[in-house]
Structure formats: structure tokens, C-alpha cells
Amino acid sequence: MYSLHKIYEGKLQNQGSESFRFTIKDFKRVQAVFCSGGVNLSLAFDNGKKVLLHGFEFSKNTDCPPNKRPVIFSEAIEMEIISGVISGTMGKDSSVYLILE
Amino acid sequence: MTELSKTSFIIQCIDKEISSNKVHELKEELDKDYKYVVGIAISNVNASENSILEQVKIKGMDVLPEKFEAAHIMSSGAVAPNKRFFSWFKPVPVSGDELIIRFYDPDWAISYNLQVQILLTNNLEEIINVLFA
């Protein structure tokens, strides 16, 4: 069973780039990530030691089924800091979501 | 021939006229013959891609995070109808409970009909396998 969590929400300031950090309790695995369309996302686990995405572009593609749009992986977590950078058009409202198991 | 009594899922459609760029509330009692909500979709025929689901609640609990971008659950006509649902959330046990959706289209320009489609099932395992296949 999956659980959906928003880990970042905001307007892209700082020349269209924002960083975020997040700690997850009560879940053992991150299954997938997705974010607002038209932005680039970098994501690192294990307190910044393990980079999973580096400037990955999330496009606005409604031709793809919604369940297939997240980037799917399987990363075990244990009270660690998940960090990332989201970048795109300055002033754009953007969000990042993790799917946890 | 399929017997209706053995159908394990149903798609419940909720319609609302969106008449301004303000928040509109959709309220509907879910079909009491089905035990779980496992998917949600929005017809993208009319709503703009910047539309926001301010809230999607059942029994006072959030099904999706607040201010969820509607684009995540919208699909074009190129997607098969049974693949248009977003299911990356914990299945919600229901029993004829009320669903409340607060919808907002910041790019609204002309009145249109919004259709939200809710996928309900009695057989969780079976439908999850189909949704993520």
C-alpha cells in the first residue's frame, strides 16, 4: 500500500531554484517521486550521499497514464535526511511528492 | 455474460459547473455498495492545466495532499479510459461516505462542466494489480 506525501511546496524564487530537506518517520521505503510539470528536480538520499536524480526534467505529459508518470524506484530509508533542488521558471508554483511504502 | 452482482468495481462520476475562477465545492455520497476508493481522475476536456484541487476529503480525512495540482490526475484522449486514474495513495475504506472536493481554476475564462471520476472497488488486490500493470 502506498502513501502520498508532499515534501515541498512554494514559488520558485532565487532565480527559479529552491532547495529543500525532509526527514521521514514511520515509513521504510520510498517508492517513487514526482513533481509539478515543467520543472527540473534533483533528489538525494542517505544525508546527501546518494544522488538519485540530477536535474531530471518532469514534463507536462497528459498522454501518459497518471500512474506511470512518477519516477519509480525503491529506496530503503531509516530516519535520514532527503534533500533536493527544484528549478524552473522563476515565480512558478511548484510541488514535490514522494510515494512511500 | 457478466453478472452485475459480481462486478468488483464502479466508476462514480461527479459533475459540477465551473462558473468562475473562485473555489467550487463538489459534494457527493459515494456508492455504499463499494468498500474502497482506489482511484481518481479528472476529464481534461475543459479544466485548465493549472487547476488546483484545494482539498479532496472523505470522512474529514485528506485523500490527496492539499493544493494538489489537477494536472497530475488529468489525461488526454490518447490514454485508455481504464488507465486514466491516479492511484498513488492509500486506498480509502468507505461505506457510503461523503466525498468533498474543493476545486479552483485560476485560468478560468468561460463556464464549463467539470467531471471528477472516482474509482471504487470491493476487491482491493485485484484492482491494484490492474491499475499498476
Side-chain angles (χ1 to χ4, degrees):
Chain A
M1 296 297 158
Y2 303 110
S3 186
L4 181 58
H5 289 254
K6 186 186 281 191
I7 60 169
Y8 171 81
E9 177 186 359
K11 273 192 194 304
L12 298 178
Q13 307 291 345
N14 301 316
Q15 297 182 332
S17 189
E18 291 285 338
S19 59
F20 58 87
R21 289 156 69 89
F22 194 78
T23 305
I24 296 166
K25 296 171 186 169
D26 304 327
F27 289 92
K28 292 183 173 168
R29 192 164 287 279
V30 181
Q31 200 68 32
V33 63
F34 66 100
C35 63
S36 310
V39 300
N40 289 5
L41 179 70
S42 297
L43 192 68
F45 288 84
D46 197 11
N47 303 318
K49 290 178 205 156
K50 189 170 183 181
V51 178
L52 247 87
L53 297 177
H54 183 69
F56 185 85
E57 185 186 347
F58 281 82
S59 60
K60 296 177 179 177
N61 185 4
T62 54
D63 288 343
C64 178
N67 283 345
K68 301 282 186 191
R69 290 179 208 162
V71 175
I72 298 169
F73 49 88
S74 187
E75 183 69 25
I77 48 167
E78 194 178 338
M79 283 300 293
E80 63 192 55
I81 294 168
I82 298 170
S83 55
V85 176
I86 181 168
S87 55
T89 309
M90 198 167 153
K92 178 181 166 58
D93 286 311
S94 301
S95 305
V96 180
Y97 302 89
L98 286 185
I99 296 162
L100 306 170
E101 198 176 356
Chain B
M1 198 163 147
T2 308
E3 290 178 46
L4 277 178
S5 60
K6 288 183 180 172
T7 305
S8 63
F9 74 90
I10 192 169
I11 297 167
Q12 189 167 342
C13 299
I14 305 165
D15 290 273
K16 176 86 176 178
E17 187 188 353
I18 304 302
S19 55
S20 72
N21 62 352
K22 307 289 182 211
V23 174
H24 287 68
E25 191 167 274
L26 291 78
K27 273 187 184 181
E28 184 98 350
E29 219 168 78
L30 296 168
D31 193 319
K32 61 178 171 37
D33 292 331
Y34 292 85
K35 294 177 187 168
Y36 300 98
V37 170
V38 289
I40 181 167
I42 284 182
S43 160
N44 84 332
V45 175
N46 300 310
S48 81
E49 62 175 27
N50 292 322
S51 299
I52 299 288
L53 295 162
E54 292 273 337
Q55 285 183 332
V56 179
K57 280 182 183 281
I58 297 173
K59 292 186 279 192
M61 290 168 62
D62 288 317
V63 179
L64 298 174
E66 286 189 4
K67 295 184 181 170
F68 193 74
E69 295 99 327
H72 294 309
I73 62 170
M74 289 159 72
S75 304
S76 74
V79 178
N82 64 341
K83 297 288 182 189
R84 289 180 193 164
F85 292 92
F86 178 88
S87 309
W88 287 108
F89 57 86
K90 202 180 289 181
V92 185
V94 289
S95 175
D97 298 296
E98 189 176 58
L99 169 75
I100 299 174
I101 296 172
R102 289 168 60 80
F103 174 88
Y104 158 64
D105 185 348
D107 295 340
W108 177 89
I110 188 168
S111 291
Y112 62 82
N113 183 63
L114 173 77
Q115 184 172 89
V116 179
Q117 298 155 353
I118 305 293
L119 181 62
L120 296 120
T121 187
N122 283 325
N123 190 336
L124 213 47
E125 295 291 322
E126 182 188 87
I127 200 118
I128 292 290
N129 290 337
V130 172
L131 287 169
F132 291 102

